[in-house]
């Protein structure tokens, strides 16, 4: 489609005009995005309500506040992050300027997801803008109201040439992926993640893939079950379970199994009342395709609580599953819905073994008082991120990189990690043409004498302390002077 | 001999056993690597001589010393690097512990090139070992003596369950790429880079691709022409031009060219004598295929010095070409040989426009005594790395991330 070519071409021409180089310009764009959010809060809440039955409060908490915080952070830190980053020099370059210069990559493609349609499209956009790139944004067509609103609002607030929004489904995305980008960020599932990376490979485009997986949640026996169940229920049933870092399933100690089920039931009632369908705080499944998919996962397990559904209104009740076999359907794919399977283990080692037999998840949760046990779990498993004794909170800390590993993704973002992800880190060495005497050791014709000098100048020694490095620095300078005096060549 | 599948499975089992997790284990392997380098210097130099007729002078510095330094850097810093990185907390998490934990990926695949067949395969390998991964090394079949030596030596020094060397060509590499790795590190050409990334996509394996490109070298009128000529010539003709960050071509005004060419000619005689083919300090082209490829490029522009070839000896004289046009064959691909084209430009703006018309290179060089000129080029271009008033030296800095251009 020529349209895609034109869109990307426009963004590239705008990038090449260098207007996004100026930090002032980038800050203005970020401030404009902030205005977009504050001036359209109601319309955003309305779109999210239509797409996911999300209420106003949840919109604030899960979509708006995080973005506003990120914008404030970027505005505060941009000058610092965009500045050259000096690095340690070696003897040969003691007199030179050595630093890493973050630079924009060029034209970035951001493919958003439908479950948090604003934050998962706009948070990467913020990072890409801050790093000085042009952006083509492709919000998810599945959350159609949010996508339409993003398409309408972005050109009203941001530079129309540098930042383009493309709407559409599989066909449009496939066309878009034929174009050459300088970075692609995709949030979604592993299957499409592979397709995105393969398309990126044709142009050698680096990718950040925020994927998913089954995030395990281990509960140790000596915990305050009330608090634990509340935190897990919150993480699981927010957005009707449609969160990439929702606790997917529970592994709990056998001895507390019954108590956990009871407390979870009570917590669900506390949160959503006897009939969650009537609760204004309970979302809906995005569409009937996913309703069918999630319902098919019930097969083979026992419904300990919930299980009600209404396909027409995309409603599935918060549901607890027990008697779950590790090989059942619900344990084979990421649930991404309000089903919470509970499996039992005899001890923490069994839990670790269970987790390690599966793909590395995006998040891992462990509830335990014993710091030693927590340390053990962190040391012996792997995941994108970890929150111990709570769920999802690690997402909110912008000083922590948010991303997956293995099947749950590659790369990371949030805060400075966003800025760095969308930047090229250029290695810079600024020398002068002086000190040529030192350089002469490296020119042919070679000689054993020259080799000796070079070894003296650049050989590193094992286990030299910091003081030793200072000494070596002084020695190096002395050697350089000696060489000039001895007039090697 | 184990099949690729068996080797990969063995390494995965070793990784899952957790033995690479401790600093003690990793330090033991790194120290063993250092011993490998110290105890086999002779054999390494010999292999490099057979593969590339690499002069000992070059081998010691660019292959052995560089690799040893990388190992020592890892040994000295490992404990520090392994520590969790504590981060600033939010108000809500003030009472909590927040940190970034560095973890090994798992089983890494490292595919090496033929031009620095020891250093360019061992440097990433050292990183993988230090980070606690198991790793398969696939050295280049195009430099068979170096690869053979590595496949003999590594198992003698390192843990055989965690580290393996797989030798072979396209067939073996394709087989390897069907296995699932947790990280793939590739050094080589752009074309194969795309194949590697496509294969990696099937398993969602993150990759590092150290590729190449045409590294431009802008020479300004304000520079010391003699020093400039020395540094450019050294960098261009090191390893017979077969260096990914060698200056690929020069951009300068006609006036600068008129001074630069004689300076380069003098340099070449200083470095290699009146008949460079007899110099012990000049390597050779890796094989017939590349020799023929390079010979064809000599017809671009006009030969200012050099141009002689000897097929049997895989020798091409250090050559400077002038009157080279942007459309000439020598300007269409990464040269990777001892040919230095000089393209005339009117001024710095034309030079920058020229550079920006082409793919982002791995390195970009500027020679000028005027800081403004240096900063101007730096700000208006993009490249993996940048060095002013020298070439290649940005690679010697261990703490300067050797970030790459993706194309």
């Amino acid at each position: 489609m020529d349209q895609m070519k034109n869109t990307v071409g426009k963004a590239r021409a705008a990038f090449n005009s260098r207007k996004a180089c100026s930090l002032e310009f980038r800050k203005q764009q970020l401030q404009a995005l902030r205005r977009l959010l504050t001036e359209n809060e109601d319309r955003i809440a309305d779109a999210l309500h239509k797409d996911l039955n999300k209420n106003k409060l949840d919109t604030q908490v899960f979509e708006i506040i995080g973005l506003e915080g990120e914008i404030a952070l970027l505005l505060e830190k941009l000058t610092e992050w965009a500045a050259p980053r000096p690095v340690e020099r070696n003897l040969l370059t003691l007199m030179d300027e050595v630093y890493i210069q973050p630079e924009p990559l060029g034209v970035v493609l951001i493919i958003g997801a439908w479950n948090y349609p604003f934050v998962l499209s706009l948070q990467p956009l913020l990072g890409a803008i801050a790093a000085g790139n042009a952006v083509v944004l492709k919000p998810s067509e599945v959350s159609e109201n949010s996508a339409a609103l993003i398409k309408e609002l972005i050109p009203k607030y941001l530079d129309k040439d540098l930042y383009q929004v493309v709407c559409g489904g599989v066909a449009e995305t496939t066309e878009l992926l034929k174009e050459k980008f300088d970075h692609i960020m995709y949030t979604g599932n592993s299957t499409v993640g592979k397709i995105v990376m393969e398309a990126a490979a044709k142009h050698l485009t680096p990718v950040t893939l925020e994927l998913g997986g089954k995030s395990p949640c281990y509960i140790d026996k000596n915990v305050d079950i009330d608090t634990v169940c509340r935190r897990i229920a919150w993480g699981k049933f927010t957005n009707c379970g449609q969160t990439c870092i929702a606790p997917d399933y529970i592994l709990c100690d056998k001895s507390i199994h019954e108590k956990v089920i009871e407390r979870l039931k009570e917590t669900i009632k506390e949160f959503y009342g006897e009939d969650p369908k009537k609760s204004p705080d309970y979302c809906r499944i995005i569409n009937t395709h996913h309703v069918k998919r999630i319902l098919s996962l019930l097969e083979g397990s026992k419904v300990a609580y919930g299980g009600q559904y209404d396909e027409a209104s995309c409603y599935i009740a918060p549901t607890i599953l027990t008697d779950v076999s590790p090989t059942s359907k619900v344990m084979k794919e990421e649930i991404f819905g309000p089903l919470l399977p509970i499996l039992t283990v005899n001890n923490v080692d069994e839990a670790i073994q269970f987790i390690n037999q599966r793909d590395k998840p995006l998040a891992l949760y462990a509830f335990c008082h014993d710091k030693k046990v927590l340390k053990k779990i962190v040391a012996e498993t792997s995941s994108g991120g970890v929150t111990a004794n709570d769920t999802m909170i690690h997402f909110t800390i912008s000083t922590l990189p948010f991303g997956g590993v293995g099947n749950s993704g590659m790369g990371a973002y949030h805060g400075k990690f966003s800025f760095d992800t969308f930047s090229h880190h250029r290695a810079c060495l600024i020398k002068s043409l002086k000190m040529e005497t030192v350089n002469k050791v490296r020119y042919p014709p070679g000689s054993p004498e020259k080799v000796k000098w070079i070894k003296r100048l650049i050989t590193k020694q094992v286990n030299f302390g910091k003081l030793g490095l200072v000494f070596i620095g002084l020695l190096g300078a002395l050697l350089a002077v000696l060489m000039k005096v001895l007039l090697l060549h | 001999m184990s099949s690729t599948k068996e080797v990969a499975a063995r390494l995965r089992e070793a990784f899952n056993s957790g033995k690479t997790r401790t600093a003690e284990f990793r330090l033991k392997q790194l120290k063993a690597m250092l011993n490998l380098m110290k105890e086999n210097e002779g054999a390494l130099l010999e292999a490099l001589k057979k593969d590339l007729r690499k002069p000992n002078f070059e081998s010691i510095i660019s292959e052995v010393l560089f690799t040893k330094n990388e190992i020592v850097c890892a040994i000295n810093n490992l404990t520090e690097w392994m520590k969790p990185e504590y981060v600033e907390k939010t108000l809500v998490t003030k009472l909590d512990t927040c940190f970034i934990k560095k973890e090994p990926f798992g089983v890494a695949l490292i595919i090496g090139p033929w031009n620095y067949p020891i250093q360019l395969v061992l440097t990433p390998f050292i990183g993988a070992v230090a980070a606690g991964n198991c790793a398969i090394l696939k050295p280049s079949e195009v430099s068979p003596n170096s690869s053979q030596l590595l496949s003999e030596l590594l198992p003698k020094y390192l843990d055989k369950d965690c580290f393996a060397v797989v030798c072979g060509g396209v067939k073996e590499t394709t087989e390897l790429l069907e296995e699932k790795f947790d990280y793939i590190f590739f050094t080589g050409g752009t074309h194969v880079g795309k194949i590697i990334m496509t294969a990696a996509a099937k398993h969602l394996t993150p990759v590092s691709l150290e590729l190449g490109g045409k590294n431009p070298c802008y020479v300004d009128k304000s520079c010391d022409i003699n020093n400039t000529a020395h540094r450019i010539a050294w960098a261009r003709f090191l390893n017979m031009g077969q260096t990914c960050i060698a200056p690929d071509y020069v951009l300068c005004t006609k006036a600068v060219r008129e001074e630069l060419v004689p300076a380069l000619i003098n340099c070449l005689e200083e470095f290699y004598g009146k008949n460079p083919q007899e110099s012990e300090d000049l390597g050779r082209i890796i094989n017939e295929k590349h020799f023929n490829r390079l010979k064809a490029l000599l017809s671009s522009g006009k030969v200012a010095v050099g141009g002689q070839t000897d097929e049997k000896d895989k020798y091409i004289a250090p050559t400077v070409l002038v009157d080279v046009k942007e459309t000439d064959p020598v300007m269409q691909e990464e040269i990777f040989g001892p040919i230095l084209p000089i393209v005339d430009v009117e001024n710095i703006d034309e030079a920058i426009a020229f550079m920006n018309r082409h793919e982002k290179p791995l390195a970009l060089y500027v020679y000028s005594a005027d800081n403004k000129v240096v900063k101007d080029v730096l700000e208006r271009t993009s490249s993996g790395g940048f060095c002013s008033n020298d070439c290649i030296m940005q690679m010697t800095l261990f703490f300067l991330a050797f970030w790459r251009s993706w194309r």
Side-chain angles (χ1 to χ4, degrees), chain A residues 105 180 205 360 382 399 424 426-427 429 431-434 436 439 442 445-446 454 458 460-461 463, chain B residues 61 69 76 88 103 105 190 197 227 231 234 281 360 378 381 383 386-390 403 406-407:
Chain A
L105 286 163
K180 175 170 166 159
T205 300
K360 294 176 193 179
S382 187
T399 45
H424 165 54
R426 194 176 190 188
L429 171 56
K431 289 178 68 94
S432 79
L433 280 160
K434 305 193 189 98
E436 186 61 356
N439 270 339
R442 73 190 198 216
I454 290 174
I458 71 173
K460 282 182 171 262
Q461 298 297 336
N463 287 331
Chain B
I61 298 164
N69 275 358
N76 286 349
E88 214 178 291
E103 297 181 343
F105 280 105
T190 312
M197 190 170 167
N227 285 353
R231 294 177 190 195
W234 170 75
D281 295 307
K360 294 179 196 180
L378 182 56
T381 60
S383 61
F386 177 91
C387 183
S388 69
N389 296 316
D390 211 329
W403 291 94
W406 282 94
R407 57 200 71 73

Side-chain angles (χ1 to χ4, degrees), chain A residues 15 18 21 77 85 87-90 92-93 97-101 103-106 180-182 190-191 193-195 197-198 200-207 209 211 356 359-360 371 378-383 393 396-401 405-410 417 424-436 439-447 450-451 454-455 458-464 489, chain B residues 15 21 31 34 41 57 60-61 65 68-70 72-73 75-76 87-90 92-93 97-101 103-106 180 182 190 193-194 197-198 200-207 209 211 223-224 226-228 230-231 234 270-272 281 359-360 364 367-369 371 374-375 377-391 393-394 396-407:
Chain A
F15 177 77
R18 297 176 59 80
C21 284
K77 297 283 191 181
R85 302 175 189 180
V87 295
E88 210 174 298
R89 292 170 280 194
N90 61 21
L92 290 176
T93 50
E97 261 183 81
V98 186
Y99 57 90
I100 299 171
Q101 177 62 61
E103 295 181 345
L105 286 163
K180 175 170 166 159
F181 293 96
D182 302 294
S190 309
T191 308
K194 290 176 186 179
I195 295 170
M197 190 171 169
E198 207 173 308
K202 292 187 174 57
H203 296 287
L204 287 170
T205 300
V207 299
L209 304 176
L211 309 176
N356 286 344
D359 285 333
K360 294 176 193 179
K371 283 224 155 77
V378 171
E380 294 179 21
T381 60
S382 187
S383 62
I393 301 291
T396 66
I397 301 169
S398 59
T399 45
L400 288 176
V405 64
N407 261 40
S408 54
M410 57 183 77
F417 300 99
H424 165 54
H425 299 265
R426 194 176 190 188
C428 297
L429 171 56
I430 312 292
K431 289 178 68 94
S432 79
L433 280 160
K434 305 193 189 98
M435 297 283 280
E436 186 61 356
N439 270 339
K440 284 180 175 170
V441 278
R442 73 190 198 216
Y443 299 150
S447 71
K450 280 187 177 176
V451 173
I454 290 174
K455 282 185 172 174
I458 71 173
T459 303
K460 282 182 171 262
Q461 298 297 336
V462 175
N463 287 331
F464 249 78
H489 242 266
Chain B
F15 179 76
R21 240 181 246 131
K31 288 181 178 154
L34 198 55
E41 190 167 307
F57 179 50
I60 291 170
I61 298 164
L65 207 50
K68 275 169 151 175
N69 275 358
E70 189 80 2
V72 170
C73 180
I75 291 172
N76 286 349
V87 299
E88 214 178 291
K89 294 179 274 197
T90 57
V92 170
T93 51
T97 323
C98 292
F99 58 92
I100 302 170
K101 177 173 173 275
E103 297 181 343
F105 280 105
K180 176 174 167 149
D182 303 297
T190 312
K194 292 178 183 178
M197 190 170 167
T198 306
K202 293 185 174 53
H203 296 289
L204 287 170
T205 301
V207 299
L209 305 175
L211 309 175
C223 71
D224 176 328
N226 207 30
N227 285 353
T228 299
H230 276 82
R231 294 177 190 195
W234 170 75
E270 250 178 70
F271 287 179
Y272 308 115
D281 295 307
E359 293 289 2
K360 294 179 196 180
L364 199 146
Y367 284 81
S368 176
N371 229 17
V374 171
K375 298 287 176 186
V377 177
L378 182 56
E379 274 162 30
R380 290 162 62 190
T381 60
S382 185
S383 61
F386 177 91
C387 183
S388 69
N389 296 316
D390 211 329
C391 295
M393 297 306 285
Q394 74 275 22
T396 68
L397 290 143
F398 298 100
F399 296 97
L400 196 62
F402 191 50
W403 291 94
R404 77 288 312 170
S405 288
W406 282 94
R407 57 200 71 73

Side-chain angles (χ1 to χ4, degrees), chain A residues 1 48 70 117 121-122 140 149 173 182 200 306 310 313 356 471-472:
Chain A
M1 272 178 218
L48 286 164
E70 188 87 341
S121 289
L122 300 185
S140 173
L149 187 59
T173 312
D182 302 294
D310 173 14
S313 62
N356 286 344
F471 174 72
I472 284 190

Side-chain angles (χ1 to χ4, degrees), chain B residues 343-358:
Chain B
V343 177
D344 297 335
V345 288
E346 291 294 312
N347 50 48
I348 186 177
D349 290 319
E350 216 182 279
I352 289 173
F354 189 103
M355 292 184 225
N356 287 341
R357 274 200 294 278
H358 298 265

Side-chain angles (χ1 to χ4, degrees), chain B residues 119-138:
Chain B
Q119 189 246 105
L120 286 181
V121 80
L122 291 185
T123 310
F125 179 70
I126 289 156
V129 173
N133 299 281
C134 290
I136 292 182
L137 215 61
K138 215 302 287 171

